[in-house]
Amino acid sequence: MLNSHQQRVFDSVVKGENTVLIGSAGTGKSHLIKHIKEWGAKNGINIGVTGMTGVCSILINGTTLHSFAGLDILSKHSSYYVKKLKTNCPAGERVRKCDILIIDEFSMQSKWFFEKFIEIMNGLRDDRNKPLQYVFSGDPKQLPPVYKQFEDNEDKKKYCFESSVFKDVFGDNMFILKHNFRHKDKGYAELLEKIGTGNIDIEIAKKLKERVKKKDIDKDITHLYSTNSEVEQHNEYRYNKINEEENIYPFTDSFIPQKNMRNIKSRAKYDLLEKLDRYSRFQTPTIVKKGTFVMCLTNVDVEKGWANGTVGYIVDYIDTYPLMCKDKGLSTKYLDGEIKFHRESDILDRPEYYLFRETTIDIMEDFTGTAIRTGVPLGFAWARTIHKSQGSEIDEVYITSTNI
């Protein structure tokens, strides 16, 4: 189901219009992309689902734009890439067969990249009657263009929508999703919106100052860092303090080819599996002990409050699988022996508990098929990177702003 704002975006896409979709986290952009993708599959419309980063492309079950279109850092003239993509190149064939190209986190494109990309796409499809339709999705307040520290090309520092070409492509066909499905606290949602637009008044500044706290790594609150090394150091310190037996749950990868690609070469299969491995949020097996502070990393039962970002404690194992409790008080009682469950049916009416089994944890798709990573969707909750927390609904965090 779509709300009225999402429906207007969908109607624009169905009409064949180039469309820009803007919305803060939680406004249903990913849900709408999924809806468009399913509509395309039912109607024989070839839709390329891409993102500007590996993490965001996995969250929408797509692939990176650079991988989809066979692009590198675009250091050469546009004509070079047009010629390359026209010469028996799988990426070129992919683009030529594509009817609609979705690009998530579009604001990470600079003015320079966008203009060059459009020039390449137009050159590649100049012999087709139907031009490529674009759907751009993202939140410009959250992710600006990425450029080197001492970049002297000003166009690489500007947003793509600062280009006159952007106006030529999209006109005024821009939609803003405002209803937030994720944040029920309107005051909090408004605070985030004002911070994102730089409209910080005295009241907001006061609220932010109230949140400046002394760091306490021995407290069970998720700490967000900008680097993997900081996260690993924090998690290792807390995990090693738990004197319990360790259980390990490895993940498995599989590949399902597209129906028309049954005879696909093994190299293409492994290329997609390698990309999944490179960008997956799950880089190591799930390792836990009783008492481990963990985070659910996928939506397993949203109606009962078990979503991406739910935190709690491993309190037991049932049939070798980890039992998690999201209530701290109940977790303490369970670990102290005051509560005990013996089978999964014992927790059916207990929404505070969830028994985690293997499930699909990450998906990446391209024209060759679908790469799937399956495993137990849990990770340490003491520390996470800001980057990998994208899409998570975490109730309480401590943000370390150094190295940003």
Side-chain angles (χ1 to χ4, degrees), residues 224-236:
L224 297 184
Y225 296 96
S226 60
T227 65
N228 288 319
S229 59
E230 291 172 298
V231 169
E232 291 167 3
Q233 185 178 8
H234 187 145
N235 283 330
E236 185 176 347

Side-chain angles (χ1 to χ4, degrees), residues 6 53 56 68 79 145-147 151 213 235 237 250 253 258 265 267 270 296 306 344 347 351-352 380:
Q6 292 172 320
T53 70
C56 79
F68 178 86
S79 59
V146 176
Y147 57 87
E151 179 60 60
K213 307 289 183 181
N235 283 330
Y237 164 75
D253 293 342
Q258 295 282 14
K265 295 180 180 179
R267 181 67 257 169
Y270 290 117
C296 175
W306 291 94
E344 188 173 4
I347 64 169
E352 307 92 348
F380 295 144

Side-chain angles (χ1 to χ4, degrees), residues 143-284:
L143 293 171
V146 176
Y147 57 87
K148 295 179 180 178
Q149 184 176 2
F150 300 105
E151 179 60 60
D152 55 3
N153 185 337
E154 291 301 317
D155 282 353
K156 291 186 178 182
K157 300 178 183 180
K158 295 179 179 179
Y159 284 93
C160 57
F161 49 77
E162 295 184 77
S163 168
S164 60
V165 178
F166 194 91
K167 178 75 171 178
D168 294 339
V169 173
F170 294 100
D172 296 321
N173 207 36
M174 186 178 298
F175 299 85
I176 300 177
L177 299 181
K178 294 184 178 181
H179 177 73
N180 202 300
F181 298 93
R182 188 176 298 172
H183 304 308
K184 295 181 180 179
D185 185 337
K186 290 185 178 180
Y188 178 62
E190 290 174 1
L191 182 144
L192 290 178
E193 184 68 22
K194 287 185 177 181
I195 291 175
T197 56
N199 186 22
I200 301 177
D201 53 31
I202 295 176
E203 187 62 30
I204 289 179
K206 181 181 177 181
K207 288 181 179 179
L208 292 175
K209 287 181 179 179
E210 290 173 353
R211 295 294 178 176
V212 177
K213 307 289 183 181
K214 185 178 180 180
K215 185 177 180 179
D216 184 359
I217 64 173
D218 288 310
K219 195 171 183 180
D220 289 339
I221 294 176
T222 301
H223 288 62
L224 297 184
Y225 296 96
S226 60
T227 65
N228 288 319
S229 59
E230 291 172 298
V231 169
E232 291 167 3
Q233 185 178 8
H234 187 145
N235 283 330
E236 185 176 347
Y237 164 75
R238 291 301 309 275
Y239 186 70
N240 289 339
K241 292 179 73 174
I242 301 175
N243 188 24
E244 292 283 348
E245 182 179 350
E246 181 176 82
N247 278 24
I248 302 175
Y249 303 91
F251 54 74
T252 58
D253 293 342
S254 58
F255 177 83
I256 303 174
Q258 295 282 14
K259 291 182 180 180
N260 60 339
M261 301 289 288
R262 295 299 179 189
N263 298 320
I264 185 173
K265 295 180 180 179
S266 60
R267 181 67 257 169
K269 167 185 174 180
Y270 290 117
D271 280 348
L272 187 59
L273 287 172
E274 286 173 4
K275 289 169 189 171
L276 175 68
D277 186 57
R278 187 185 315 142
Y279 298 121
S280 176
R281 297 164 294 164
F282 300 83
Q283 293 295 322
T284 59

Side-chain angles (χ1 to χ4, degrees), residues 54-56 58-59 61 251 275-284 296-299 308-309 360-363 373 377-379 384-385 387-392:
V55 171
C56 79
I58 280 182
L59 291 173
N61 296 348
F251 54 74
K275 289 169 189 171
L276 175 68
D277 186 57
R278 187 185 315 142
Y279 298 121
S280 176
R281 297 164 294 164
F282 300 83
Q283 293 295 322
T284 59
C296 175
L297 300 177
T298 59
N299 295 329
N308 181 1
T360 298
I361 51 181
D362 271 331
I363 298 176
R373 176 157 289 184
L378 292 172
R384 309 287 300 173
T385 62
H387 184 57
K388 288 188 177 178
S389 297
Q390 182 180 347
S392 299

